Amino acid sequence: MVKVEKKKVACFHCGDTIQNTHLTFEEKDFCCNGCQQVYEILSQNNLCEYYNLQDSPGTTRKNPVSKVKFNFLDDEQIKRQLIQYSDEKISRITFHIPTMHCSSCIWLLESLYKLERGVKSSRVDFLKKQLIISFDHNVLSLKSLVELLASIGYEPSLNLNDLEGKKKIETNNKLLYRVGVAGFCFGNIMLISFPEYFGLDAFSKSTFSYLFGYLNFFLALPTFLYSSSDYFISAYKSLKKRIINIDFPLALGILVMFVRSTYEIFSHTGLGYFDTLAGLVFFLLLGKWVQQRTIDTISFERDYKSYFPVAVSVISDNSETTVPVSNLKIGDRILIRNNEIIPADSILLKGDAQIDFSFVTGESVAIHKTLGELVYAGGRQTSGNLELEVCKHVSQSYLTQLWNSEQFSKESKSQMESFQTMVSKYFTFFLLGIAITSALFWLVQDPSKSLDAFTAVLIIACPCALALSSPFALGNAMRLLGRAKLYLKGPEVVEKMAKIKHIVFDKTGTLTDSSDAGVVFHGHELTTELNNYVYSICNQSVHPLSKKISSYLKQDSILIPVDEFSEIQGKGLSAKIAKNTIRLGSASYLGVKVNSATNDLASLVYIEFNQELLGFFEIKHAYRNHLTEVLNELSLERKLSLLSGDRDTEKVTMAKFFPQNSEMRFNQSPADKMLFIDQLRANGQTTAMIGDGLNDAGALKVADLGISVTENTAHFSPASDAIMDASVFENTGKFFKFANHTLLVIRLSFVISLMYNLVGLSFAVQGILSPLIAAILMPVSSISVIVFTTGMTTFFAMKNGIFTNSNK
């Protein structure tokens, strides 16, 4: 039963004070029908845990959304622009949710499937305030989905003029206004206080002294009520959550100073500290603004678009060239081979499209696409070559989002983050204890220093510097490694690299350089027709050996249509051309008995035509430059192992490169590699897998750190944590050494921050550091940590020579 009564209490849903209409439902108070309806929806779906995570976490619903507001979402053209992926059943879209602000929001938004059965999954990126939703469009329309979000207080921001989600860095005008007001008040209070500073007030009548005091009070009011309000709001919200954040002691110091000064002015016992208060707020806000500008200047976005290494083959004038996806234009004709990722929404022009969208949806069943049909970005072709025409601009942020999807995530916990969490949890209590102790001490010894000591302690100590150390060091390291052609999934990968104790290498395509490998065919002489067959089949694959054979036959062959193409990882290829069955691959795949006298410095790829063995291609191995030096450098602090799908006849050769205690296993299938790495991890060894991104995808995923080495960054592997351009393989040891130095920089910055706080507190507790000077010094610590971490990581990058043979 709903009843109306007048009473001023807080709304159970949004926390706003109830002004006029007071609604009660199930003994809970609401400020409007909208808030009550949201509660009813959550209650009916057993989602009231939303209110247990935080008091009054919702937003006010006093202004309900118009029923016709989202009618434009029924327009098919607009839906195509907004939706990032769609098939016969599932659609995927990313929303920007401005009202997302706390853990309750995250919990509710990731529980949408409980509210609406058409929602299959929802995932929050809190820092970007983004919500990624997969939904069944046969059950739930896009319009209904948006209406659902709006009905529970999370209306998406739909900007059709900026569908790619590119946002300009805008100046925080609100912060600048606060700085301006505080600066104006500070300057005028200082001007009015000049007679006091120079002792001229002794020549003035007391009435002027009182007048100046009242003027200072009125000038201090905007500073106190407007400029410093964010500190009080932040402190209040943290107390509501039963948490004390760093803004609490700052707000407390400002409040004490204002109350003390006001008392002195109106009791005529002194002129107060309004000049110090205004200067304090001005320099706090100015430091905040400078810090934000510094962060913007040394920017490394979480989506690191500039360093995302995806390239694609473009067909132009009957020739094929490889270009970065960022250079793709609408209308470009692109070539996608077996196992390659489609980088942009495109129209299928040619080929048998069997698209695996597990990268997007988590469903591994391949979907057949017909000629002329739209193929969404993020799908992986599983059946030979495709030719497509790009119909939508590439969104590298979307591809990066896919790389970071749950299907390819790994459980990890950062020790650095744990340290920061611990510091932020206890720092404020420790700080308040010191401030109160200092105030009490000086209250007994010299009461005139008590307030100064109390406020200076609250202001000078700054945990912000501690919190900035890790993200800036790791983020800058990721940026520098990207310049050196080692592309990381995220900043946390740097920390993973530094902790690796065992590195496992694949051989073919990783330790061998396919660009320098020679190819010789042994067996029946291949006719021109058979050359065309083999060339066309190998051209469908991105395996290093297939690419080498394709390159070997290219000059005297032409591409012809291939049917029923399939590739078995680690085994070989099969296809039908003109009703003929051709298979290429390893001896075990074709059931061939291997002659033990064959060259141990080569890989053999056998060819079978209509069940008749025609011979084999011998691909002579050329090992990467400086391989011995790289392995020796890595083995100084880590154990090394080799896993190869080739024969063990190479064991003697590989033993010349690897240290004596290295384990080498041959004839290893992809499953064998995964099992080996699982065993290492079970024994407590943090393990890195360095291999071919596609053929070693399983091993790359189960390892603590997976690095894909590729000759062509078009062959992107979502299972890896990092992608290394093969041209910089000789810098592998330097990359790992640089990761160690990055963690050293983080630890040093922690020490510097702690030293700053200890030195500052030692002066503050003695009462010899004024609050104004403390306010100037506080942002200096944060800025110094930013400069130190970025400067030192850059220094170590240059010292370690990670830019050798890479683009600077």
Side-chain angles (χ1 to χ4, degrees):
M1 180 68 184
V2 177
K3 56 182 180 180
V4 178
E5 55 185 35
K6 289 189 177 181
K7 186 180 179 182
K8 285 196 174 183
V9 292
C11 176
F12 179 74
H13 175 71
C14 70
D16 285 359
T17 300
I18 300 175
Q19 300 293 338
N20 298 311
T21 302
H22 180 182
L23 305 176
T24 60
F25 180 79
E26 294 184 353
E27 300 181 354
K28 294 176 175 61
D29 305 296
F30 300 96
C31 65
C32 62
N33 285 317
C35 287
Q36 180 184 319
Q37 288 170 5
V38 174
Y39 172 78
E40 290 180 25
I41 292 171
L42 299 181
S43 178
Q44 291 167 6
N45 291 276
N46 297 317
L47 290 175
C48 284
E49 177 67 17
Y50 172 69
Y51 298 102
N52 296 333
L53 296 173
Q54 182 179 330
D55 294 336
S56 304
T59 54
T60 181
R61 307 297 298 148
K62 291 178 182 176
N63 299 313
V65 178
S66 168
K67 291 184 179 180
V68 299
K69 181 176 182 179
F70 302 116
N71 283 352
F72 70 95
L73 293 176
D74 287 329
D75 186 279
E76 289 299 323
Q77 184 177 355
I78 291 176
K79 283 198 290 186
R80 283 196 298 270
Q81 287 179 300
L82 288 170
I83 290 175
Q84 296 165 312
Y85 166 81
S86 185
D87 56 28
E88 290 82 0
K89 184 177 181 182
I90 299 297
S91 291
R92 178 189 174 106
I93 190 169
T94 298
F95 291 121
H96 177 64
I97 310 292
T99 54
M100 186 194 309
H101 67 283
C102 65
S103 57
S104 294
C105 302
I106 297 173
W107 181 84
L108 179 59
L109 291 172
E110 293 192 342
S111 302
L112 287 177
Y113 66 93
K114 297 179 181 179
L115 281 174
E116 170 57 59
R117 66 186 182 90
V119 176
K120 297 305 178 184
S121 69
S122 53
R123 185 164 56 89
V124 166
D125 185 334
F126 184 68
L127 290 180
K128 295 180 183 177
K129 294 197 173 186
Q130 286 184 346
L131 176 65
I132 302 106
I133 300 180
S134 294
F135 64 100
D136 186 340
H137 51 247
N138 298 317
V139 176
L140 180 69
S141 69
L142 177 60
K143 175 186 172 183
S144 299
L145 174 61
V146 173
E147 288 176 339
L148 169 66
L149 290 170
S151 71
I152 59 174
Y154 296 100
E155 181 180 338
S157 173
L158 299 173
N159 185 356
L160 298 180
N161 294 320
D162 193 14
L163 295 172
E164 291 298 321
K166 299 175 183 176
K167 299 178 182 177
K168 296 179 181 178
I169 298 174
E170 297 180 356
T171 305
N172 191 336
N173 291 328
K174 187 177 179 182
L175 178 59
L176 282 176
Y177 294 150
R178 294 180 189 276
V179 172
V181 170
F184 172 80
C185 295
F186 174 48
N188 281 280
I189 291 172
M190 289 281 287
L191 182 64
I192 292 172
S193 301
F194 269 129
E196 179 194 356
Y197 297 152
F198 294 106
L200 299 179
D201 56 321
F203 299 97
S204 304
K205 294 181 180 180
S206 58
T207 52
F208 283 102
S209 179
Y210 297 154
L211 176 62
F212 291 160
Y214 296 144
L215 287 174
N216 284 346
F217 169 75
F218 286 111
L219 283 168
L221 276 178
T223 305
F224 179 72
L225 297 176
Y226 174 68
S227 294
S228 65
S229 59
D230 279 351
Y231 293 106
F232 291 100
I233 293 170
S234 175
Y236 171 71
K237 287 182 176 179
S238 71
L239 289 175
K240 280 184 66 178
K241 301 175 189 176
R242 299 179 181 178
I243 299 170
I244 294 181
N245 64 6
I246 188 55
D247 286 336
F248 177 79
L250 292 174
L252 182 60
I254 294 169
L255 179 63
V256 169
M257 202 177 295
F258 181 81
V259 172
R260 165 80 179 268
S261 301
T262 303
Y263 170 78
E264 289 188 3
I265 292 295
F266 286 95
S267 66
H268 305 308
T269 56
L271 292 175
Y273 298 87
F274 286 129
D275 52 347
T276 304
L277 184 147
L280 166 65
V281 174
F282 173 67
F283 284 111
L284 283 174
L285 294 173
L286 186 63
K288 195 175 189 179
W289 180 80
V290 171
Q291 181 177 313
Q292 186 59 54
R293 292 293 297 172
T294 306
I295 291 172
D296 291 342
T297 302
I298 313 173
S299 174
F300 27 80
E301 299 178 57
R302 284 176 57 84
D303 56 4
Y304 41 90
K305 297 178 186 179
S306 301
Y307 311 105
F308 190 68
V310 178
V312 66
S313 298
V314 175
I315 300 174
S316 178
D317 298 327
N318 296 321
S319 63
E320 178 186 332
T321 57
T322 301
V323 299
V325 292
S326 56
N327 293 342
L328 276 183
K329 301 182 294 294
I330 293 176
D332 280 351
R333 192 177 183 119
I334 59 175
L335 176 66
I336 301 296
R337 293 182 170 83
N338 182 52
N339 273 325
E340 285 189 340
I341 302 294
I342 297 167
D345 293 356
S346 307
I347 301 297
L348 179 62
L349 301 178
K350 184 178 180 182
D352 177 24
Q354 300 291 336
I355 312 297
D356 175 7
F357 282 106
S358 60
F359 198 7
V360 183
T361 65
E363 300 291 335
S364 58
V365 178
I367 296 174
H368 176 69
K369 295 287 185 178
T370 58
L371 297 181
E373 191 173 354
L374 175 66
V375 183
Y376 285 95
R380 181 172 61 89
Q381 165 65 345
T382 62
S383 179
N385 288 1
L386 297 180
E387 289 186 21
L388 306 103
E389 182 177 309
V390 176
C391 65
K392 189 174 180 181
H393 288 295
V394 175
S395 171
Q396 291 202 48
S397 59
Y398 175 61
L399 294 177
T400 305
Q401 183 189 97
L402 295 180
W403 195 10
N404 283 279
S405 67
E406 293 176 351
Q407 282 75 34
F408 305 103
S409 62
K410 300 180 182 181
E411 292 294 328
S412 63
K413 185 176 181 180
S414 169
Q415 292 181 356
M416 295 301 168
E417 286 183 11
S418 301
F419 179 78
Q420 289 174 39
T421 303
M422 180 187 69
V423 168
S424 61
K425 185 176 181 180
Y426 296 110
F427 190 91
T428 304
F429 291 104
F430 174 72
L431 182 60
L432 282 172
I434 293 178
I436 294 170
T437 303
S438 301
L440 292 175
F441 173 80
W442 285 111
L443 196 61
V444 175
Q445 298 294 324
D446 184 356
S448 65
K449 290 185 177 182
S450 179
L451 180 61
D452 278 354
F454 180 75
T455 51
V457 167
L458 293 177
I459 296 161
I460 191 67
C462 183
C464 306
L466 297 172
L468 290 170
S469 302
S470 181
F472 266 86
L474 295 176
N476 195 45
M478 183 190 76
R479 182 182 67 86
L480 293 167
L481 288 170
R483 285 179 56 196
K485 297 186 179 180
L486 176 64
Y487 307 97
L488 307 185
K489 190 173 186 176
E492 69 282 353
V493 178
V494 180
E495 193 176 340
K496 286 184 181 181
M497 290 177 66
K499 295 176 181 177
I500 294 300
K501 298 301 179 185
H502 197 134
I503 301 178
V504 180
F505 286 94
D506 173 51
K507 181 181 70 68
T508 304
T510 305
L511 302 182
T512 60
D513 186 350
S514 60
S515 62
D516 289 336
V519 180
V520 179
F521 180 74
H522 301 274
H524 300 292
E525 184 177 354
L526 297 180
T527 64
T528 301
E529 184 180 42
L530 282 173
N531 268 343
N532 293 337
Y533 288 176
V534 175
Y535 170 64
S536 300
I537 294 172
C538 289
N539 187 258
Q540 310 273 323
S541 171
V542 294
H543 189 280
L545 298 181
S546 299
K547 287 166 61 183
K548 196 61 190 174
I549 295 172
S550 176
S551 178
Y552 170 69
L553 297 174
K554 183 176 182 178
Q555 187 173 354
D556 299 319
S557 305
I558 59 172
L559 285 173
I560 55 178
V562 175
D563 299 320
E564 298 182 28
F565 175 88
S566 67
E567 180 172 1
I568 303 174
Q569 286 190 2
K571 296 290 185 180
L573 315 172
S574 68
K576 283 190 175 181
I577 300 179
K579 297 183 180 181
N580 296 300
T581 301
I582 303 99
R583 295 200 302 164
L584 296 96
S586 65
S588 59
Y589 178 54
L590 271 64
V592 178
K593 293 184 178 180
V594 181
N595 182 356
S596 59
T598 53
N599 187 356
D600 65 347
L601 291 177
S603 291
L604 306 183
V605 177
Y606 292 84
I607 175 172
E608 180 186 272
F609 182 74
N610 291 331
Q611 299 184 344
E612 178 186 355
L613 184 67
L614 300 182
F616 61 87
F617 290 96
E618 180 183 17
I619 297 97
K620 297 177 180 178
H621 292 159
Y623 295 102
R624 297 202 180 276
N625 294 331
H626 309 290
L627 178 59
T628 303
E629 292 88 337
V630 170
L631 297 178
N632 286 339
E633 185 176 7
L634 290 171
S635 66
L636 294 177
E637 298 180 2
R638 304 163 190 86
K639 188 174 180 182
L640 307 182
S641 295
L642 172 70
L643 301 179
S644 174
D646 288 341
R647 301 160 296 144
D648 60 4
T649 53
E650 283 194 82
K651 189 170 185 177
V652 175
T653 303
M654 295 308 303
K656 298 175 183 176
F657 295 106
F658 278 81
Q660 290 184 352
N661 62 342
S662 301
E663 185 170 359
M664 291 185 286
R665 297 189 180 188
F666 295 87
N667 297 307
Q668 297 289 293
S669 67
D672 293 331
K673 294 178 182 179
M674 290 176 62
L675 180 61
F676 179 78
I677 290 174
D678 275 333
Q679 290 172 344
L680 291 178
R681 296 186 67 205
N683 293 331
Q685 298 187 54
T686 49
T687 306
M689 174 70 192
I690 303 180
D692 177 358
L694 295 170
N695 298 287
D696 297 316
L700 290 168
K701 184 176 181 181
V702 299
D704 295 293
L705 171 70
I707 300 178
S708 170
V709 179
T710 176
E711 303 283 351
N712 187 335
T713 49
H715 310 147
F716 165 64
S717 173
S720 60
D721 296 291
I723 302 173
M724 183 192 297
D725 192 299
S727 65
V728 296
F729 179 83
E730 64 186 73
N731 292 336
T732 304
K734 297 174 183 177
F735 293 148
F736 278 90
K737 192 174 181 179
F738 173 61
N740 290 335
H741 282 143
T742 299
L743 289 200
L744 175 63
V745 169
I746 294 174
R747 295 187 180 104
L748 287 175
S749 63
F750 281 156
V751 172
I752 292 171
S753 301
L754 289 171
M755 287 177 62
Y756 161 82
N757 281 287
L758 290 174
V759 171
L761 286 172
S762 68
F763 284 101
V765 296
Q766 295 178 62
I768 59 177
L769 185 66
S770 74
L772 184 58
I773 299 300
I776 296 172
L777 292 177
M778 193 197 80
V780 171
S781 71
S782 297
I783 296 171
S784 63
V785 165
I786 294 172
V787 173
F788 174 79
T789 52
T790 52
M792 288 302 295
T793 47
T794 303
F795 167 76
F796 279 120
M798 302 301 293
K799 181 181 178 182
N800 289 314
I802 69 169
F803 297 119
T804 305
N805 293 338
S806 67
N807 292 330
K808 294 188 176 181

